[in-house]
């Protein structure tokens, strides 16, 4: 079984889903002669497994790049079009007599009437400053998003190299593969590549590392630490649990994200 699995990892041959193995059966084989394990040297396993899951969820490098670039393009278009609507369009000219001809043969130049030639001089200075601040703030956010994409690209390429070369899964195969199948490969690859220095990890360990913050949030909700209940308008409704997406984002931003350090340990007060 070990030799066959190593050959599949090296050649990228057809993958057959493998059943989950108990932790006692995932011990590494005995080393003889000059054999040795290959150390992956992963500093933060929680972040690494999370990136592996997101790489599988987004279905490969091409899909990730196309999605990120389309987001940047849409954001740039929104910024430019907002500036055009706020400064370049003469909204008062929409009620001009030129745009409502009284005779069929009458016509006017729409661009010369409805578009400001020099919007920074034809608008009040306060409006120009306010719109300029808004556009500048959006431009800074666009630059930050582009830099973040460049930084994340290095991590995405590392995950791609690991999945393609260590797990023997191509980007084409990952589009049709379930998460449980990739998780089995991730567990079994520890027979040749050591991911955790202390011990081998099973499927539950990997999932718990990915969902560490989510599990803490679920635990706090079940224990009643976060009382997210609202009273209904009528006596029949009573208390209702409410957790909107915006509230969830704020809980992560204010509680869960500062709660852990770079090694995903709870910070000491």
């Amino acid at each position: 079984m070990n030799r066959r699995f190593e050959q599949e990892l090296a050649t990228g041959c057809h993958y057959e889903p493998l059943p989950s193995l108990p932790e006692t059966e995932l011990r590494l084989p005995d080393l003889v002669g000059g054999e040795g394990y290959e150390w992956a040297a992963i500093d933060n396993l929680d972040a690494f497994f999370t990136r592996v899951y997101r790489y599988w969820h987004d279905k490969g490098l091409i899909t990730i790049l196309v999605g990120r670039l389309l987001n940047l393009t849409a954001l740039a278009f929104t910024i430019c079009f907002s500036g055009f609507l706020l400064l370049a369009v003469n909204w008062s000219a929409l009620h001009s007599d030129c745009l409502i001809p009284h005779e069929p043969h009458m016509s006017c130049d729409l661009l010369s009437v409805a578009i400001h030639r020099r919007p920074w001089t034809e608008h009040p200075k306060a409006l120009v400053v306010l719109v300029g601040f808004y556009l500048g703030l959006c431009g800074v956010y666009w630059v930050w998003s582009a830099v973040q994409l460049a930084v994340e690209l290095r991590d995405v390429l590392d995950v791609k190299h690991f999945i393609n070369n260590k797990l023997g899964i191509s980007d084409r195969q990952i589009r049709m593969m379930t998460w449980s199948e990739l998780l089995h490969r991730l567990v079994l690859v520890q027979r040749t590549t050591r991911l955790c220095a202390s011990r081998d990890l099973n499927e539950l360990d990997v999932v718990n590392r990915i969902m560490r913050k989510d599990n803490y949030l679920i635990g706090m909700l079940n224990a009643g630490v976060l009382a997210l209940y609202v009273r209904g308008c009528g006596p029949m409704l009573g208390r209702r649990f409410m957790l909107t997406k915006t509230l969830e984002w704020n809980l992560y931003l204010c509680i869960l994200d500062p709660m852990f350090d770079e090694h995903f340990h709870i910070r000491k007060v």
Side-chain angles (χ1 to χ4, degrees):
M1 174 67 73
N2 292 347
R3 184 176 298 277
R4 179 184 177 185
F5 178 72
E6 292 173 5
Q7 291 175 353
E8 289 184 359
L9 291 180
T11 59
C13 297
H14 176 69
Y15 167 69
E16 298 178 0
L18 298 175
S20 178
L21 296 177
E23 184 178 352
T24 56
E25 298 183 19
L26 290 176
R27 59 181 181 274
L28 295 168
D30 296 333
L31 302 179
V32 294
E35 294 181 354
Y37 298 122
E38 182 178 352
W39 291 85
I42 300 174
D43 296 332
N44 193 331
L45 283 175
D46 289 38
F48 175 75
F49 289 144
T50 302
R51 289 195 294 267
V52 170
Y53 174 78
R54 290 176 179 173
Y55 190 89
W56 166 84
H57 183 269
D58 294 338
K59 304 304 179 184
L61 177 64
I62 301 300
T63 308
I64 294 175
L65 286 179
V66 171
R68 300 295 193 276
L69 292 176
L70 287 178
N71 288 338
L72 287 177
T73 303
L75 180 59
F77 173 79
T78 303
I79 296 172
C80 296
F81 195 62
S82 299
F84 172 78
L85 293 178
L86 293 174
L87 293 179
V89 177
N90 184 8
W91 297 101
S92 60
L94 297 178
H95 301 284
S96 175
D97 294 336
C98 177
L99 300 180
I100 308 176
H102 299 283
E103 298 182 6
H105 65 276
M106 294 181 61
S107 62
C108 66
D109 187 3
L110 179 62
L111 294 179
S112 61
V113 175
I115 302 299
H116 289 296
R117 297 298 181 182
R118 296 181 177 179
W120 51 88
T121 59
E122 299 180 18
H123 286 290
K125 292 184 178 180
L127 178 62
V128 174
V129 171
L130 183 62
V131 174
F133 177 77
Y134 163 74
L135 296 179
L137 190 64
C138 293
V140 171
Y141 177 73
W142 188 92
V143 173
W144 178 81
S145 300
V147 173
Q148 187 180 27
L149 173 60
V151 173
E152 290 180 355
L153 183 60
R154 182 183 60 181
D155 296 332
V156 172
L157 292 176
D158 292 339
V159 173
K160 172 181 171 59
H161 180 270
F162 177 82
I163 292 178
N164 294 160
N165 297 279
K166 301 298 182 182
L167 302 186
I169 303 172
S170 64
D171 284 359
R172 182 178 180 181
Q173 292 172 325
I174 205 172
R175 298 190 188 103
M176 300 174 290
M177 181 173 291
T178 63
W179 168 245
S180 60
E181 291 174 337
L182 190 144
L183 191 58
H184 286 313
R185 282 259 174 146
L186 191 60
V187 170
L188 292 176
V189 79
Q190 296 176 99
R191 295 177 175 177
T192 57
T193 302
R194 197 65 178 268
L195 300 179
C196 182
S198 58
R199 66 182 182 91
D200 289 346
L201 303 175
N202 55 23
E203 291 91 342
L204 183 60
D205 295 328
V206 176
V207 174
N208 283 338
R209 284 178 174 269
I210 295 174
M211 299 186 61
R212 189 186 298 270
K213 294 182 180 179
D214 304 83
N215 291 335
Y216 269 95
L217 178 60
I218 294 173
M220 287 189 290
L221 293 175
N222 292 336
V225 178
L226 301 175
L228 304 179
Y229 293 94
V230 294
R231 293 188 177 275
C233 298
M236 300 297 295
L237 296 178
R239 298 177 62 193
R240 299 181 58 186
F241 177 79
M242 178 176 290
L243 179 61
T244 62
K245 201 64 181 179
T246 303
L247 180 57
E248 181 182 352
W249 290 340
N250 283 278
L251 288 176
Y252 276 93
L253 180 64
C254 301
I255 299 178
L256 295 174
D257 289 342
M259 183 178 177
F260 299 94
D261 58 14
E262 63 275 7
H263 300 293
F264 276 83
H265 298 155
I266 297 179
R267 298 180 186 273
K268 297 182 179 180
V269 180

